[in-house]
Amino acid sequence: MTHVKVVRGRHWHVAVMHQYLPDLATQTVPRYTSYPTAAEFHDGVGAIEQHAAATALAPHTPVSLYVHIPYCHEICWYCGCNTGAIGRSDRLAAYLAALEQEIDAVAAALRGRVTAIHFGGGSPNALSSAQFVALTARLRMRFDCAENLEIAAELDPRTLNATYAAALALSGVTRVSLGVQTFAPAIQARINRHQPLALVQRVVGELRAAGIARINFDLLYGLPGQDKADVVETIAATLALAPNRIALFGYAHMPRLLPRQRMIDNAELPDGPARFAQHMLGHDLLVSAGYEAIGFDHFARPDDSLARAAAEGRLRRNFQGFTDESAEAIIGLGASAISHYPGLLVQNEKHVGRYRLRAANGGFSGARGVVRSADDRLRGAVIERLLCDGAVDLGDLAGRYGAPVMALMELLPSLARFVARDLIAVTNTHVTVLPAGLPYARLIAAAFDRYRTPAPRFSRAI
C-alpha cells in the first residue's frame, strides 16, 4: 500500500510504502500531550505550587482555560476519560457550585489574559443548556478575556438538538468537536454507543444553522469487530459531512486501569497488523480527499487554522492534542483537569467528592503534579517539535534553552535502530522523521524521554 503526501509548508511530497514493523507498532508509549507525562506526577506537588504558578504569570500573559465536566448521560465502554453517569441532578448542581468556587479563586489570583476556553469531559453537554450558558458567562465575567476569544467544546451528538446549538452560539462557542468514533451500527453496539448516522447529520446541520461553522470529528480505529470496510464506510460518511478537522485515534484497551473496558471482548479486537492497516487506510483516505495530515493522528482542511499553523511551524501539542493555540499557560478547572505552566504541571483532584472539598477550602484544587526542570523543558521542546514538525534541530533548541547540545547529542545512539530502518535521518544536530517513520513518531520521540521504560500503562504506538 502506498500513499502520497501533498507538500504545503513543512510537509513531505513523497510516495512511500507503509511498513508494519511489529516490534515497534505493538510497543506501548505515551501520547506526549505533556512532558514529563502524567506518569511522573506525584503528590508532592499540589495547590500551593498551583497558586504560586498562577500568581507568577505576568500581566496580560496569554492563557488558555480548560474546563472539565466529568459527567455523561450514558457511559461508553471504550472511554478512557475521567467521567461518570450523571445520576441524580443534584450531583451536577453540587459539582457546578464547586467549579464556580474554583473559577473565582483562580481568577482572583491570575493576571493573565484568557485567549481561549476549551470545554471537555465527559460531556460538557451533560449540562443543561441553561447551565452551560451560565457557566460560560461566569468565566467571561471573572477572567480578563481577549476580544477575539475562541471557545470550543467537545460534545456528545446524542444529546444535542437545535435548542442546545442555539445556546452554544449564544455562549460564544466558535468550534465544536463531536464524538463520532464510528458509524458502523454493529461496532457501536459493541462499545455501547448507539449513534445513527442520521442523528449526526441532523446535529451538524443544526450547529451550522446556529452559526457554528467550525466542526471537528473524533474517529476511532482498532475497535472490537472493526475491519477495513467499516473504516471506509465511516470515513465516506464523514467526508460527506465535511468537518473542518478530524482526529483519528487508536482505541487504547486497558481494562486493568479502566474497569468499564472489561465489557469489551478482547477476542474481538483487531490484531496488530489489522490495527496498522486501519490506521494507514484512514490516513490515505483523508489525505486523498484533500485533508492535510497534522502530526500522527489529526487531519485538517487546508484553509483551517490548524493546517496553517502546521505549514508555518506554529503547531503545538498539549492536553487537547495538536493545536494552533499560542497561550503560554493552560489552566485546568474542574475535577482531574491539568494545568500546564512553563515550570509546572499540576492535576486537580480526580475524585469529584474530594474535588468539591478542595474547591470549598480555598478554590485551588491541585493534588499531584511535577515541577519541570530546565532539562524537562528542553526535552519537552524536542519531543514537541518532533511530533509537530517531523524534524528538530537539537543545536538550535539547546541554544534557546541555554543548555549544552552534547546533553542531547549523547542520545543519538538510541536512535540508531530507527536510522537503520530508514525511519529517520540524522545529520549533524538535525533529526528528521522520514515518511516511513511517521506512524512511529511517538516511539522516536520517546528516545528523548529520560523517564521512559516500556510499561503497559500506555497505549500502543499504533
Side-chain angles (χ1 to χ4, degrees):
M1 185 186 299
T2 63
H3 75 273
V4 177
K5 287 183 68 72
V6 179
V7 179
R8 284 183 178 86
R10 297 179 177 223
H11 295 270
W12 294 276
H13 179 63
V14 290
V16 60
M17 292 295 296
H18 295 323
Q19 296 177 272
Y20 175 67
L21 305 173
D23 59 315
L24 299 182
T26 57
Q27 288 187 34
T28 61
V29 67
R31 292 188 183 275
Y32 289 115
T33 53
S34 74
Y35 186 82
T37 71
E40 282 68 64
F41 290 8
H42 56 83
D43 60 10
V45 169
I48 294 175
E49 290 79 9
Q50 190 178 35
H51 180 273
T55 57
L57 290 176
H60 309 303
T61 298
V63 170
S64 174
L65 301 180
Y66 171 77
V67 184
H68 190 77
I69 308 298
Y71 293 105
C72 294
H73 287 285
E74 297 180 61
I75 300 302
C76 304
W77 295 336
Y78 67 87
C79 182
C81 300
N82 179 42
T83 189
I86 293 176
R88 302 188 315 272
S89 60
D90 59 332
R91 293 178 63 198
L92 189 53
Y95 178 76
L96 282 173
L99 183 58
E100 289 172 358
Q101 290 173 307
E102 184 186 17
I103 288 170
D104 292 351
V106 173
L110 187 70
R111 295 181 293 169
R113 174 162 293 162
V114 175
T115 58
I117 301 174
H118 187 105
F119 290 90
S123 301
N125 54 314
L127 303 177
S128 70
S129 57
Q131 287 172 327
F132 188 92
V133 170
L135 177 57
T136 308
R138 191 181 194 93
L139 290 165
R140 285 180 178 273
M141 180 173 60
R142 292 289 188 262
F143 289 96
D144 175 17
C145 295
E147 289 185 7
N148 59 342
L149 177 70
E150 174 167 297
I151 304 180
E154 302 171 11
L155 303 173
D156 183 343
R158 297 172 296 174
T159 53
L160 282 175
N161 55 32
T163 300
Y164 210 112
L168 293 168
L170 176 65
S171 299
V173 170
T174 53
R175 183 184 295 278
V176 301
S177 293
L178 299 180
V180 171
Q181 322 315 344
T182 175
F183 284 118
I187 301 172
Q188 291 177 353
R190 288 181 170 95
I191 61 175
N192 198 39
R193 190 180 181 93
H194 304 278
Q195 187 171 271
L197 171 59
L199 182 151
V200 178
Q201 290 172 327
R202 172 183 60 77
V203 166
V204 169
E206 290 169 344
L207 288 166
R208 287 175 174 154
I212 301 174
R214 289 182 282 181
I215 297 175
N216 307 345
F217 276 15
D218 290 341
L219 306 178
L220 284 173
Y221 67 87
L223 291 169
Q226 195 173 31
D227 60 24
K228 291 197 291 185
D230 295 319
V231 173
V232 170
E233 291 175 6
T234 289
I235 289 182
T238 294
L239 293 174
L241 292 170
N244 301 73
R245 300 178 187 175
I246 298 166
L248 180 61
F249 299 120
Y251 166 58
H253 190 60
M254 297 181 287
R256 288 189 300 172
L257 297 176
L258 300 165
R260 65 177 65 113
Q261 292 187 349
R262 295 170 191 166
M263 299 298 294
I264 292 176
D265 185 352
N266 287 8
E268 292 189 325
L269 294 173
D271 61 15
R275 278 179 64 96
F276 185 86
Q278 290 175 20
H279 168 67
M280 299 316 303
L281 174 62
H283 173 282
D284 289 354
L285 290 171
L286 292 171
V287 170
S288 296
Y291 283 79
E292 296 283 0
I294 309 296
F296 53 83
D297 59 10
H298 280 50
F299 302 83
R301 293 191 339 210
D303 60 347
D304 187 85
S305 60
L306 192 69
R308 292 197 300 269
E312 296 167 7
R314 296 183 291 103
L315 194 66
R316 302 294 304 276
R317 185 155 178 81
N318 61 30
F319 298 109
Q320 281 78 60
F322 291 104
T323 179
D324 57 341
E325 290 183 15
S326 59
E328 295 182 28
I330 300 170
I331 297 178
L333 301 166
S336 80
I338 298 175
S339 296
H340 188 158
Y341 296 96
L344 180 76
L345 297 169
V346 59
Q347 183 174 30
N348 283 356
E349 171 60 52
K350 288 185 177 183
H351 186 273
V352 172
R354 291 193 293 269
Y355 163 77
R356 287 167 50 194
L357 289 175
R358 285 176 178 265
N361 187 30
F364 282 82
S365 305
R368 57 196 296 268
V370 63
V371 175
R372 301 180 77 215
S373 67
D375 182 68
D376 289 335
R377 295 174 68 179
L378 172 58
R379 289 171 184 260
V382 171
I383 290 170
E384 183 178 46
R385 296 306 356 124
L386 271 175
L387 296 181
C388 291
D389 298 339
V392 64
D393 182 343
L394 302 180
D396 178 61
L397 277 185
R400 292 189 201 177
Y401 284 83
V405 69
M406 289 308 298
L408 294 174
M409 297 298 288
E410 290 172 357
L411 298 172
L412 292 185
S414 66
L415 298 174
R417 59 180 178 142
F418 302 117
V419 173
R421 298 167 92 159
D422 294 324
L423 303 181
I424 65 171
V426 178
T427 306
N428 298 322
T429 63
H430 293 260
V431 179
T432 303
V433 181
L434 299 175
L438 291 178
Y440 305 99
R442 287 160 57 200
L443 277 171
I444 295 165
F448 294 92
D449 183 346
R450 71 183 179 93
Y451 301 99
R452 203 80 293 118
T453 56
R457 66 174 299 168
F458 299 111
S459 60
R460 283 189 178 188
I462 301 171

